[in-house]
Amino acid sequence: MSLLEVRELALGYESHKITENISFTVNSGDYLCIVGENGSGKSTLMKTLLGLQEAISGSIETGDGLKRSEIGYLPQQTVVQKDFPASVREIVLSGCQARSGLRPFYSSGEKALAAENMERMGITKLARRCYRELSGGQQQRVLLARALCATRRLLLLDEPVSGLDPVVTAEMYGLISELNASGITIIMISHDIAAALRYASHILHIGSSIFFGTKDEYLASGAGKAFLMQQEGGSGK
Amino acid sequence: MIDKLGLYLQYPFVRYALIVGVLIALCSSLLGVTLVLKRFSFIGDGLSHVAFGAMAIASVFNLTNEMLIVLPVTVISAVLLLRTGQNAKIKGDAAIAMISVGALAFGYLLMNVFSTSSNLSGDVCSTLFGSTSILTLTGREVWLCVALSVAVVIIFIFFYNKIFAVTFDEAFARAVGTKAEAYNLLIAVVTAVIIVIAMNLVGSLLISALVIFPALSAMRIFRSFKSVTVCSAVLSVVCAFLGMIISILAGTPVGSTIVAVDVAAFIIFYVTGMVKGGIQK
Ligand SMILES: Nc1ncnc2c1ncn2[C@@H]1O[C@H](COP(=O)(O)OP(=O)(O)OP(=O)(O)O)[C@@H](O)[C@H]1O
Ligand SMILES: [Mg+2]
């Protein structure tokens, strides 16, 4: 059985439909990239997959004994109140929360994991800083480190590289494909179609037309060609 | 002055009051940080009015142990308030305002119509402002307070990390499988318990102050959740202790004196925070 099987899904807010007829499957070890224009419903799809909101119709089935506590998630936006006192370390550690279950305190293994992920994201020096006083890119790295702490089998990323500088962006893509190579399944939303095509194994395109298939199928398909043309037209000034 | 204090401390009811006061201050400040950050400050206010209404019902029926009715009613209201906050047919703050004002009016009405007491306004005043009740605690009430306080502290420590996760980013917590609803419920129930026990100390109108002032003060200076929590707990205990000592020595009402000390502490922290922020920049 596949890790995730989505059939005939219709998405929306309070019965206002945004998009429908989304069907795809994700197998263990896949690297799925979700692409589409702004407002096409990518983030909504991700939230629906995570059970943060209800689908209008259709079914989402998980298989392979996937548990919620094995999933890591990077939201597109985290609205944190302006006066929230939280240090970087506290936030990254909170990613270990699902795996700690009912145990009240973090184990030394979990603390080491948090430290390792902070090191990976290059925020070890910021560990004691207050989250809300960081720059947008630094905040993004903190949330990524938190997502990495939560991940054991599946990692969902909503535009992970937005706000990161080119060097960290490249490192980030490298890191994600390393994780993928180590057996973690990736579902990533991205506007960076070039990177999507370089790293992903499967593409889901949502928008006026829906496409799901492997990268090569996407390149050959109408939707893929049209989207690529559009992207190149946009960036090839 | 020290002599006078020593004299007072020989009375068991004064010692009870100090113990209970410090415990209540500790409990109420612990959840304060979360309540402030979740924008639940007013739930405390609303619940305390509900507790007042329940108290009125208890006194009308001449119940000897008021807690038996006040505690369940307040806990149920807390759960309901949290529900409405989520479903948002009636917006959370409006629901709270409705329940809180309604309970207040209803409670006063009940006391007025049915009360047999000769000193009605005195009774109402002491329920609202907790003027003397803390000094008239019986041994049993003290033990109940101690037991509930210890339970609150244990629950808070046990679920500290979950409470942080749910407060900081509820969507993420839910996405990775934390039962956010359950923890929100827990927060609401514990809040209700704290409010019921804190009513003895400061009365129902001033409870919010006890809950939010230490948290707000600590947030002026500290920048991590843990340091803010620890600081607000310490601050709350110190302020409550000072406030009670002052009120014993100067003969002022206990509740309002404690809150006045809390306000003074807030001003000090606010200024310190500004100066510190200024230096850092
Ligand atoms: N909370 C909400 N309530 C109602 N409608 C919403 C809500 N959030 C998003 N929408 C609508 O749903 C549609 C899809 O939004 P979504 O955030 O999923 O787009 P997206 O594909 O992630 O876009 P982007 O590339 O900009 O991130 C948009 O038209 C948006 O206006
Ligand atoms: Mg989006």
Side-chain angles (χ1 to χ4, degrees), chain A residues 13 18 36-45 47 76 159 191:
Chain A
Y13 292 89
I18 296 169
E37 299 91 38
N38 288 134
S40 54
K42 304 181 295 297
S43 301
T44 308
L45 171 64
K47 286 184 211 153
Q76 182 168 20
E159 305 196 14
H191 287 293

Side-chain angles (χ1 to χ4, degrees), chain B residues 41-64:
Chain B
S41 307
F42 272 108
I43 285 195
D45 213 43
L47 288 180
S48 63
H49 294 182
V50 171
F52 170 77
M55 203 83 121
I57 296 176
S59 68
V60 165
F61 287 107
N62 262 326
L63 291 181
T64 41

Side-chain angles (χ1 to χ4, degrees), chain B residues 46-99:
Chain B
L47 288 180
S48 63
H49 294 182
V50 171
F52 170 77
M55 203 83 121
I57 296 176
S59 68
V60 165
F61 287 107
N62 262 326
L63 291 181
T64 41
N65 198 345
E66 292 168 335
M67 287 275 191
L68 278 184
I69 175 150
V70 178
L71 197 59
V73 168
T74 314
V75 167
I76 291 170
S77 314
V79 173
L80 289 181
L81 276 179
L82 208 82
R83 278 278 153 75
T84 52
Q86 281 164 353
N87 292 348
K89 271 250 169 49
I90 304 175
K91 275 278 182 297
D93 59 341
I96 293 169
M98 243 169 54
I99 294 185

Side-chain angles (χ1 to χ4, degrees), chain A residues 212-226:
Chain A
F212 170 72
T214 61
K215 178 167 69 180
D216 298 330
E217 285 165 0
Y218 182 67
L219 282 174
S221 76
K225 278 186 187 140

Side-chain angles (χ1 to χ4, degrees), chain A residues 158-188:
Chain A
D158 197 341
E159 305 196 14
V161 297
S162 69
L164 299 183
D165 61 50
V167 177
V168 182
T169 299
E171 277 171 18
M172 192 61 221
Y173 282 130
L175 174 65
I176 295 172
S177 50
E178 251 173 56
L179 286 171
N180 184 234
S182 75
I184 288 173
T185 311
I186 310 280
I187 300 180
M188 172 170 89

